[in-house]
Amino acid sequence: MTLFKNMNLSKKLILMNIFLVTLPTLVFAFVLYSVQSRQFNKQMLQERQSAVSQLANSLDTSLTSVEDLSQSLVYRSTISSLVTRSDLAMYPTWAKYNSEEILIDLKYSIKYQNLGLKDASIYTNNPDIPELSSFHDISKLYQLPFYQDFRNSQKSFDFYCLSTEETQDFYQAKGEDPHTFGRLMIFVQRIQPDFSSGYSGVLIFEANPQKFFSSLSVYENHSSGYFIYFHNLSNFYGCSPDPDAVKQLKDKNNRQRKLNFSDASILSQPLTRYPVTIVSQNPHNKNLQSYPAFKLSFLLIVMTVFQCVIMQLVTSSIFRRINSNITEMDQIIANEFSGKVTINSSDEIGFIAQRYNTLLEKIDTLIEDMILKETDAKNAQIKALQFQMNPHFIYNTLSIFSGNARQNGNFELADAISYFGHLLRYNIKDTGLYSTVEQELENTRSLIKVYSMKFIGKLELNISIADDLLERKLIKFLLQPIVENAIFHGTSGITSNMFITMEIWETEHALEIAVSDNGIGIKEAYLKQIQKNILYGTPLSQTPKSNSSFIGLHNVYERIQLIYGANAKLTIESIYGQGTKVCVHLPIFQETGGMKNDDQLFNH
């Protein structure tokens, strides 16, 4: 233990890898070979038998589904009534209508059930049934082996996997080109037993074996794998069958029991309800089964030895690089964090060196930031004290001007200065993002009083609002830009009296505001430019008022969009020579959450 403690870390890792990984792995490889050679054989047999059983269950389910579909179709009144009636010649329209309905039903059922069926046909000896694409004379099937077997079996349902030659004979009897098809699966369902006094027929489904038996298609024509044996016509599908297996399968006594092969090279699973047997044939050699176990054990030994050598080389290289970085870090510390670690790679060691260099940069940045923050804090404190003094100085100065104007008898100027002080106090006072409707209206009245000093005629503001709306919350500075816009643009070039009307009312879902004036109005072409300027910030073109600015309305529009959402609106209506009207629509609900009261809408 003393010797182990005194070793460096790289030698410790190598010794631990040899005693804890390499030697136990070698012992395990020898034990694994002996155990796996026995287990591989047993496991392969179980897997093959399980695969055969799964294929048998899957095939039984598919065949049952096709049988259920065929029975549900032939027992419907439209098919049975059409096939069995002997007086169809008297009702040709009814016969044609029902025939077309049956064809649509067949096509829809095949597509809807998704069982791998590609076509359906009805064969009958009723000569009065219209000749359509899926109706055929049953006499076409008399010479075909599968139909002869079906008639002799007296079954109501059966299926056949036709060979290539039998498929060609079927399509040739059907009147189609026999050389364009490969093999075919046929499902036959009797429509009605053959009575001497009536008519009978059969429903035939056609399917592509490669799609219906998709899990076995990969084995087709191979020497080993899985195949299906059909007892009715002694046909098979899948891999090429073993002659001895086919001989046993043809024996009627072996139809309901498994094949007897002593070396278990062939496994089988018959279906109880259908004349079908699933067969798995693979070469079964015990020496061959032991080969994977030997290969696995030998590969494990080789990999262990190789891993031990690589481990030693990689560990030595890693620790050389780590020691080199440690030496550089010691030098940086000795030089008062001056310098950087050399980065020679992009792996974890290089990443550590990069992080160390980043840490050094952060330390320098933090020191500089601390100095700047202390300086900024002092400057901000000084500016805050200055800003506390400036508003009081402005208010006191305006009071002096107003008092002087009153002393000299200029009461109109004194009132204007007083109202301007109210405007200034409302704009400077920090009351948050929102105000009340009443406060906005008081600010608007003060604005009108101030602008009355400039206007030659009479400037009057008329307000229409219900008392219960005065305490409603509203974003601050919403009304002032609208009224300023009416005064600035509406009074340009006129000397008569100017009347501004403000209406505020509430609907079920919104607060509506309308500000109209009797000014000069706006021409239609220029109004479109103004609307684009307000909604999108589009610059105004060279017009008689191109030097005018609508930045106030654009600011109002952007703020109501941000606060009230996309449903908030600001529109302008104007008739040149008569006046302008600005309307604001403020939703008082949120679409995702239903109705909201004022506190829920504004105080969020």
Side-chain angles (χ1 to χ4, degrees), residues 39-103:
Q39 292 294 329
F40 265 120
N41 181 42
K42 182 179 179 180
Q43 181 180 355
M44 179 167 287
L45 291 176
Q46 291 176 347
E47 290 177 353
R48 288 176 57 206
Q49 187 61 58
S50 175
V52 171
S53 299
Q54 290 179 4
L55 287 173
N57 293 333
S58 176
L59 180 58
D60 183 79
T61 301
S62 299
L63 294 175
T64 302
S65 299
V66 176
E67 183 178 4
D68 292 342
L69 174 62
S70 63
Q71 289 180 356
S72 66
L73 290 173
V74 300
Y75 289 137
R76 294 182 183 178
S77 59
T78 53
I79 295 180
S80 59
S81 60
L82 182 68
V83 173
T84 58
R85 292 191 64 165
S86 59
D87 57 350
L88 291 178
M90 300 175 61
Y91 307 98
T93 303
W94 180 88
K96 181 178 180 182
Y97 174 78
N98 279 269
S99 300
E100 294 175 350
E101 184 180 359
I102 289 171
L103 293 180

Side-chain angles (χ1 to χ4, degrees), residues 49 52 56-57 60 229 231 249 254-259 267-279:
Q49 187 61 58
V52 171
N57 293 333
D60 183 79
Y229 183 78
H231 294 274
L249 289 168
N254 285 328
R255 287 192 178 185
Q256 297 300 326
R257 56 190 177 91
K258 297 180 180 179
L259 301 181
L267 301 175
S268 65
Q269 176 71 48
L271 272 63
T272 56
R273 298 181 62 246
Y274 302 103
V276 171
T277 300
I278 308 296
V279 181

Side-chain angles (χ1 to χ4, degrees), residues 143-185:
Q143 301 301 321
L144 300 179
F146 80 88
Y147 185 69
Q148 295 176 3
D149 178 82
F150 179 73
R151 294 186 64 182
N152 294 334
S153 66
Q154 298 298 319
K155 294 181 179 179
S156 62
F157 174 81
D158 206 350
F159 59 93
Y160 303 88
C161 183
L162 305 184
S163 64
T164 303
E165 294 78 10
E166 292 169 340
T167 301
Q168 293 177 354
D169 293 340
F170 171 74
Y171 280 115
Q172 189 171 10
K174 191 178 178 181
E176 299 181 11
D177 186 1
H179 299 290
T180 59
F181 304 95
R183 300 187 64 179
L184 188 67
M185 276 289 296

Side-chain angles (χ1 to χ4, degrees), residues 500-570:
I500 299 176
T501 302
M502 182 180 298
E503 298 177 276
I504 302 178
W505 72 97
E506 185 180 33
T507 63
E508 183 179 0
H509 301 300
L511 184 68
E512 305 288 348
I513 301 173
V515 179
S516 57
D517 62 69
N518 63 336
I520 62 173
I522 305 172
K523 293 182 180 180
E524 183 178 357
Y526 189 52
L527 179 61
K528 293 180 180 179
Q529 296 183 34
I530 295 173
Q531 290 172 340
K532 291 183 179 179
N533 174 263
I534 293 172
L535 299 181
Y536 310 111
T538 305
L540 298 175
S541 61
Q542 295 298 323
T543 64
K545 290 188 177 182
S546 61
N547 60 337
S548 300
S549 173
F550 291 87
I551 188 173
L553 294 183
H554 179 65
N555 178 275
V556 170
Y557 176 73
E558 286 192 337
R559 285 194 293 140
I560 64 174
Q561 286 284 300
L562 289 173
I563 296 175
Y564 295 91
N567 289 333
K569 299 178 181 178
L570 189 150

Side-chain angles (χ1 to χ4, degrees), residues 79-90 94-95 99 122-131 135-139 142 192 198-202:
I79 295 180
S80 59
S81 60
L82 182 68
V83 173
T84 58
R85 292 191 64 165
S86 59
D87 57 350
L88 291 178
M90 300 175 61
W94 180 88
S99 300
I122 295 178
Y123 292 81
T124 176
N125 55 7
N126 189 341
D128 295 333
I129 295 179
E131 286 291 335
F135 285 88
H136 305 279
D137 195 321
I138 199 171
S139 61
Y142 287 161
Q192 179 184 353
Y199 295 91
S200 65
V202 292

Side-chain angles (χ1 to χ4, degrees), residues 327-555:
T327 301
E328 290 187 356
M329 291 177 184
D330 291 338
Q331 293 176 355
I332 292 173
I333 295 173
N335 294 330
E336 297 181 352
F337 299 99
S338 175
K340 290 186 178 181
V341 178
T342 304
I343 301 175
N344 296 321
S345 63
S346 58
D347 56 7
E348 286 78 2
I349 298 176
F351 183 74
I352 292 174
Q354 181 182 2
R355 287 293 186 180
Y356 186 81
N357 292 335
T358 304
L359 179 61
L360 295 175
E361 294 175 357
K362 288 290 185 182
I363 292 173
D364 293 338
T365 303
L366 288 174
I367 294 174
E368 293 177 0
D369 289 344
M370 290 177 63
I371 297 173
L372 290 175
K373 286 180 179 179
E374 290 181 0
T375 305
D376 292 341
K378 292 180 180 180
N379 292 334
Q381 186 176 8
I382 295 173
K383 289 182 179 179
L385 294 173
Q386 291 175 346
F387 288 149
Q388 289 177 0
M389 298 298 297
N390 289 338
H392 292 289
F393 172 74
I394 295 174
Y395 301 149
N396 294 335
T397 302
L398 291 176
S399 284
I400 294 172
F401 290 164
S402 177
N404 183 267
R406 288 184 182 277
Q407 291 177 1
N408 290 281
N410 195 343
F411 298 102
E412 185 178 3
L413 177 60
D415 290 340
I417 294 174
S418 178
Y419 284 119
F420 176 71
H422 294 162
L423 281 173
L424 189 61
R425 186 180 299 274
Y426 183 76
N427 281 265
I428 294 178
K429 187 176 181 181
D430 184 12
T431 58
L433 183 62
Y434 303 100
S435 182
T436 64
V437 174
E438 185 176 14
Q439 291 171 339
E440 279 288 291
L441 291 176
E442 287 298 325
N443 185 61
T444 304
R445 291 188 182 98
S446 298
L447 182 71
I448 292 295
K449 293 294 183 180
V450 172
Y451 273 97
S452 296
M453 292 290 297
K454 176 184 177 183
F455 193 60
I456 299 175
K458 181 180 180 182
L459 181 62
E460 182 176 330
L461 174 66
N462 298 316
I463 300 174
S464 174
I465 183 174
D467 292 339
D468 58 344
L469 297 180
L470 292 175
E471 296 302 321
R472 290 295 177 92
K473 290 188 177 181
L474 195 68
I475 60 172
K476 199 171 181 181
F477 307 124
L478 176 65
L479 301 181
Q480 178 178 334
I482 300 176
V483 175
E484 282 186 314
N485 179 77
I487 296 173
F488 183 77
H489 297 282
T491 62
S492 177
I494 69 170
T495 59
S496 59
N497 296 335
M498 177 75 174
F499 298 100
I500 299 176
T501 302
M502 182 180 298
E503 298 177 276
I504 302 178
W505 72 97
E506 185 180 33
T507 63
E508 183 179 0
H509 301 300
L511 184 68
E512 305 288 348
I513 301 173
V515 179
S516 57
D517 62 69
N518 63 336
I520 62 173
I522 305 172
K523 293 182 180 180
E524 183 178 357
Y526 189 52
L527 179 61
K528 293 180 180 179
Q529 296 183 34
I530 295 173
Q531 290 172 340
K532 291 183 179 179
N533 174 263
I534 293 172
L535 299 181
Y536 310 111
T538 305
L540 298 175
S541 61
Q542 295 298 323
T543 64
K545 290 188 177 182
S546 61
N547 60 337
S548 300
S549 173
F550 291 87
I551 188 173
L553 294 183
H554 179 65
N555 178 275

Side-chain angles (χ1 to χ4, degrees), residues 10-23:
S10 62
K11 292 182 178 179
K12 288 180 181 179
L13 290 176
I14 293 173
L15 287 177
M16 290 174 61
N17 181 68
I18 292 174
F19 286 99
L20 298 180
V21 178
T22 305
L23 293 179

